[in-house]
Amino acid sequence: LWSRNARPLLRYFPELAAFGDLLPPRSAVDGEIVVVRGGARDFDALQMRLHPAGSRVRKLSAEIPAGFVCFDVLLWDGEDFHGRPFEERRAKVETLPFDVSPSTRDLEEAARWLDRLEVAGFDGVIAKRLGQPYLPGSREAVQKVKGEKTADCVVVGVTWSEKGTGIASLALGLWIDGKLVP
């Protein structure tokens, strides 16, 4: 179990070790570790699971168990899938013994998903180009689509990049009942 940055994650999520038993030798899938609380994904609870103390990891794995959702297959039982078009990979994913992310080609259904993102604990949906192979690290065949939100804010502070390349972050404020609230 590895992060997209090739960091080992099984140490933080020992309850997911059993998912490895579902993979035949020489297999690799792409997916996401999730924590669901109150019927929605809880990203903060997931982040809390990344703790250095082994005793805390064991405690949290029992109190806030994580799951795994599969959304792509790269290699299955030695058979290469990553070079195949998305629709072939998706057909294989739907046969795998994992929770699988939903998928649609219906634009209206995808728009409804965008409308309900926040309620379900998501910040966006992933759109994949049909006919494209899996391209690790590339955004050529994959795009994250996020719902739009707007707010009239005031910039009340700036943090500059340590690399000297510009702004790292902005502190924002909102006018609430005639008072500027950070």
Side-chain angles (χ1 to χ4, degrees):
L1 188 63
W2 301 89
S3 75
R4 70 176 135 208
N5 300 321
R7 293 191 176 106
L9 294 175
L10 196 55
R11 174 190 187 287
Y12 304 109
F13 302 98
E15 70 274 25
L16 297 181
F19 286 90
D21 297 337
L22 301 174
L23 289 169
R26 299 182 55 228
S27 296
V29 295
D30 191 3
E32 186 169 14
I33 298 171
V34 296
V35 170
V36 177
R37 295 173 79 179
R41 293 186 184 198
D42 188 336
F43 185 74
D44 290 337
L46 179 69
Q47 291 295 104
M48 189 170 52
R49 294 289 311 276
L50 301 174
H51 198 282
S55 60
R56 181 91 172 134
V57 167
R58 287 187 297 279
K59 181 179 187 302
L60 291 173
S61 69
E63 291 177 2
I64 308 170
F68 177 78
V69 177
C70 182
F71 43 76
D72 216 331
V73 60
L74 309 165
L75 186 68
W76 192 260
D77 203 13
E79 188 177 349
D80 177 22
F81 279 86
H82 85 278
R84 296 182 187 183
F86 171 68
E87 48 268 48
E88 285 184 38
R89 298 190 323 270
R90 182 62 196 196
K92 179 65 177 178
V93 164
E94 291 178 1
T95 70
L96 300 182
F98 300 105
D99 287 336
V100 174
S101 64
S103 177
T104 187
R105 292 184 184 191
D106 183 311
L107 186 57
E108 289 179 16
E109 184 174 11
R112 284 191 299 275
W113 289 353
L114 281 172
D115 289 340
R116 297 184 325 218
L117 286 177
E118 195 171 315
V119 173
F122 295 96
D123 68 342
V125 297
I126 300 296
K128 294 189 176 187
R129 292 187 190 279
L130 298 175
Q132 291 292 310
Y134 187 90
L135 302 169
S138 170
R139 292 292 179 203
E140 186 177 323
V142 176
Q143 182 175 357
K144 188 167 193 173
V145 179
K146 295 183 177 188
E148 291 185 14
K149 291 184 183 182
T150 62
D152 291 327
C153 301
V154 177
V155 176
V156 296
V158 176
T159 303
W160 298 100
S161 169
E162 293 177 1
K163 298 176 185 173
T165 56
I167 296 171
S169 65
L170 299 173
L172 303 177
L174 290 173
W175 287 104
I176 299 175
D177 297 327
K179 182 178 177 185
L180 184 60
V181 179

